[in-house]
Amino acid sequence: MAKKERKAKSPILLGFAKKVRIRRYELGLTQEQLAEKAEFHVNFIGGIERATRNPSLTSLIKLAKALEVDAKYFIP
């Protein structure tokens, strides 16, 4: 079986992931705590921070509220 090819990560998703991680650190939250606060599964938060998940607009709004920022904080 052939190895799965790795796709280059989107610069937009990488920037978003960095902003989520930085803000989470600023608030002193673990991924588990952020997931609970945003009503997500911890694996979803991990995927966002690794830039392997592309959240919906609804998820982005929930994440912004949990991180106590305006959603436009995430937009480059």
Side-chain angles (χ1 to χ4, degrees), residues 52-69:
T52 60
R53 302 284 280 190
N54 187 0
S56 68
L57 180 58
T58 304
S59 295
L60 180 94
I61 300 299
K62 287 173 69 173
L63 194 58
K65 286 181 183 179
L67 289 170
E68 303 170 14
V69 294

Side-chain angles (χ1 to χ4, degrees), residues 22-29 33-34 37 66-68:
I22 288 170
R23 183 63 182 150
R24 179 174 63 79
Y25 287 160
E26 288 173 349
L27 294 174
L29 297 173
Q33 291 168 325
L34 177 56
K37 196 171 176 182
L67 289 170
E68 303 170 14

Side-chain angles (χ1 to χ4, degrees), residues 18-42:
K18 184 176 181 179
K19 287 182 177 186
V20 169
R21 192 172 36 257
I22 288 170
R23 183 63 182 150
R24 179 174 63 79
Y25 287 160
E26 288 173 349
L27 294 174
L29 297 173
T30 64
Q31 285 185 345
E32 292 83 5
Q33 291 168 325
L34 177 56
E36 186 176 318
K37 196 171 176 182
E39 300 178 346
F40 293 138
H41 192 279
V42 67

